[in-house]
Amino acid sequence: MNLSTSSALPHRAWRLLGLLLLGMGLSHCHSEPGGADAGADAGADAGVDAGSPFPTVAREARLLQVDEKQTVLFSVREDGTYTQGLPTGDPSRIAGVAEAVFVPSDSHAAVLWSAEADGVRTLWLWRPGTPEAFAITAKARGPVFHDAALSYVAFFERDEAGTTFVRVAKTATCLPGDCVLMTPVQVQTGTPTLQNGGNTLLLANGPQRWLIDVPSGAVMDLGVPPGPSFMSPGGTRHGWVVGAHVMLFDTSTGAPLWDQVWRNDAEYPEWKPLSAFMLSEEKVFVSTEGQWRGAPVGVPLGHTLEACTGQACGQVSSGNSCESTRQWRQPAIACRPDPCPFIRCDVYGHYRDSQGGFLFSESARDTRIGPIFSQGFTNSVQLKGTQGQLHWLEWERDSQVSKLNLDAPYPTVPILFVPDAERVVYHQPVSRPDGTAEGHLWTWDRTRRVDLGLLEGTPAATGIMRDHPPTLYLDVTRAREDGSSTTSILRVAL
């Protein structure tokens, strides 16, 4: 639910914006959207009807969510949040303006929440077939937590005396006007935080920790752990770092699972753990800090990232401060380099996957957009090019690189993988014979390009991909005659 960022992300955001403006500025330059690369592309093929616009599924609306089965679309308008049955249902208002919505894979219900106003937000629960959502609370504070099956929703509430309450609503028994909220823990002072993994909640208030089993409501008071604590994404494991030791426990029984030493005293004597986190049920990452051996006086403290399993610990990264984050809706690691102690340094952040494997570095100076990754980080695609030179799309899979050379005008966002990761969708303008530019969506499968059709308006930077059948749902903004703009939601069959 929480999306962490690193200091490198603003740089990438500016790079995306710059490419968008570049693509718009060059939209009248050439008539061909792409060129053939020997052995990589056989030219563009026309789509089913490349001159026709894509169907609009909602007008004057912004896309919020589409369930995995593609039976319902959620959108937001000025006066509230709407649902409509797919493919041809009419929109119906179900709640106030929502900031986000979560729908589980079986689509049995949905939880929606508003943006915070004066420190509080409203949460709603909606079930298919009902005319409107009903409020779970209008006093939630901070993030909203739930499991993948949406069996519960958890959040904080606070009273006027400053007491913070952990509230849990079990969705199966939550009914309009009769949604009982459990309160497994309340904290009198402080600024508590909450983390969820499966059916387990980890509550922290300063150094104190509690584990909450949602189905039973049982609370395990962990007291004050001796070092940085952590919990696995599925909630089946938890633990802490004690000096040079990483200790992992079974959450359901409290039994110790293993104890490993992360610190190499020969190389990093007296280094200390700063934080620890898990991105899987087995591996623990420890971010550490200390003085480099033999470093002159005044050199800043160094940092490493260590990874531990039940077999051993090993170093993942050196000279970087690393933390958990999410990239492309997947757990990942963001690493920020230590300050450079020398006169000149090439210092860039980088990202790693949930197992610690290297993903990409910000040092790729010829990358204009991306890289964009598929699920599982098995594929990546990026738009590359240097100043004044033609650009190309580059797709990497299993260490094999495919290139699609491009003529201007260059692609702009969105660039997205189709769910099976066998094709990539991208937006690229083309020029009519009279020189007028029009946007088109294309697919590329590393062998050929296909023109899907005309895209009227400016597309959003991303959209929602769904499978069975593969479909892209996308916001597109168009200008009105009076100078204002309107946003519609398109459905693109892939």
Side-chain angles (χ1 to χ4, degrees):
M1 300 299 298
N2 290 329
L3 298 181
S4 301
T5 60
S6 78
S7 60
L9 288 180
H11 170 76
R12 297 185 63 238
W14 280 110
R15 186 168 67 196
L16 288 174
L17 179 59
L19 244 294
L20 179 60
L21 296 176
L22 175 65
M24 294 173 64
L26 295 175
S27 60
H28 297 272
C29 295
H30 296 272
S31 61
E32 290 299 325
D37 179 53
D41 179 57
D45 295 321
V48 175
D49 188 354
S52 300
F54 299 103
T56 299
V57 293
R59 302 184 186 275
E60 302 288 342
R62 291 183 292 105
L63 180 63
L64 269 184
Q65 190 58 270
V66 177
D67 69 325
E68 291 185 15
K69 297 179 179 180
Q70 299 185 67
T71 60
V72 61
L73 179 145
F74 295 79
S75 63
V76 64
R77 308 178 186 216
E78 290 185 357
D79 66 335
T81 303
Y82 286 70
T83 61
Q84 62 188 83
L86 291 174
T88 58
D90 294 324
S92 175
R93 187 182 184 277
I94 62 166
V97 176
E99 178 183 61
V101 57
F102 173 77
V103 189
S105 60
D106 65 4
S107 307
H108 77 276
V111 60
L112 308 89
W113 57 94
S114 69
E116 283 190 310
D118 298 324
V120 298
R121 68 170 90 238
T122 299
L123 273 63
W124 299 274
L125 186 67
W126 178 80
R127 293 188 175 92
T130 58
E132 61 182 5
F134 61 89
I136 298 174
T137 180
K139 301 183 294 182
R141 292 180 177 270
V144 179
F145 301 90
H146 55 77
D147 61 340
L150 193 57
S151 67
Y152 72 88
V153 181
F155 50 90
F156 285 130
E157 288 185 348
R158 187 181 305 154
D159 66 12
E160 295 180 355
T163 300
T164 299
F165 304 89
V166 177
R167 304 292 200 196
V168 178
K170 294 186 177 181
T171 58
T173 57
C174 197
L175 302 173
D178 186 24
C179 188
V180 177
L181 301 182
M182 298 193 311
T183 308
V185 181
Q186 64 184 54
V187 178
Q188 300 298 326
T189 60
T191 307
T193 60
L194 201 61
Q195 176 186 348
N196 75 317
N199 289 322
T200 304
L201 300 173
L202 176 61
L203 174 65
N205 187 37
Q208 292 183 296
R209 301 289 186 271
W210 296 265
L211 285 172
I212 304 168
D213 179 70
V214 172
S216 67
V219 178
M220 181 187 301
D221 188 348
L222 300 178
V224 178
S229 61
F230 50 84
M231 183 175 68
S232 67
T236 64
R237 308 283 190 268
H238 74 278
W240 44 75
V241 185
V242 187
H245 291 257
V246 181
M247 304 180 68
L248 190 68
F249 302 88
D250 182 273
T251 298
S252 61
T253 65
L257 296 176
W258 49 257
D259 178 346
Q260 297 288 348
V261 175
W262 65 263
R263 188 169 65 201
N264 181 349
D265 284 328
E267 297 292 332
Y268 306 102
E270 300 181 1
W271 280 47
K272 299 178 180 179
L274 290 180
S275 62
F277 55 90
M278 297 184 73
L279 301 179
S280 66
E281 299 306 295
E282 302 298 332
K283 185 173 290 187
V284 180
F285 293 97
V286 184
S287 180
T288 78
E289 179 182 72
Q291 186 68 57
W292 297 111
R293 178 181 288 278
V297 176
V299 172
L301 294 176
H303 300 86
T304 70
L305 182 68
E306 313 292 329
C308 299
T309 65
Q311 287 70 49
C313 295
Q315 189 173 105
V316 173
S317 177
S318 177
N320 295 275
S321 298
C322 300
E323 62 184 2
S324 63
T325 185
R326 293 187 73 83
Q327 288 286 310
W328 305 277
R329 299 185 176 94
Q330 302 174 79
I333 302 170
C335 294
R336 183 180 65 254
D338 291 340
C340 175
F342 305 105
I343 296 175
R344 294 187 62 183
C345 294
D346 290 329
V347 180
Y348 298 94
H350 71 272
Y351 291 83
R352 295 179 176 272
D353 62 23
S354 62
Q355 295 301 308
F358 181 82
L359 286 177
F360 73 97
S361 170
E362 291 290 330
S363 63
R365 300 188 183 189
D366 59 351
T367 297
R368 314 300 291 175
I369 298 179
I372 294 98
F373 284 84
S374 65
Q375 283 296 306
F377 298 111
T378 55
N379 296 260
S380 69
V381 67
Q382 51 194 315
L383 176 67
K384 306 189 77 172
T386 54
Q387 187 73 24
Q389 302 296 319
L390 294 179
H391 290 27
W392 68 93
L393 282 174
E394 188 170 286
W395 182 333
E396 182 174 354
R397 173 191 288 179
D398 298 329
S399 300
Q400 295 184 348
V401 177
S402 301
K403 291 177 61 177
L404 173 63
N405 289 334
L406 300 163
D407 292 334
Y410 306 127
T412 65
V413 290
I415 300 176
L416 302 165
F417 277 100
V418 174
D420 63 6
E422 295 299 326
R423 290 176 294 162
V424 65
V425 180
Y426 63 96
H427 172 246
Q428 185 179 16
V430 299
S431 295
R432 296 174 180 170
D434 63 0
T436 303
E438 62 182 24
H440 280 236
L441 287 179
W442 302 74
T443 60
W444 176 46
D445 64 1
R446 301 190 297 166
T447 300
R448 65 172 185 164
R449 292 174 296 117
V450 175
D451 186 350
L452 297 180
L454 172 66
L455 186 68
E456 297 179 324
T458 302
T462 188
I464 294 177
M465 281 284 190
R466 289 291 177 253
D467 211 350
H468 309 301
T471 307
L472 169 64
Y473 296 86
L474 182 68
D475 282 341
V476 174
T477 301
R478 302 183 178 100
R480 295 191 179 102
E481 293 183 358
D482 62 2
S484 62
S485 61
T486 180
T487 300
S488 301
I489 304 171
L490 305 186
R491 181 176 63 240
V492 181
L494 301 172

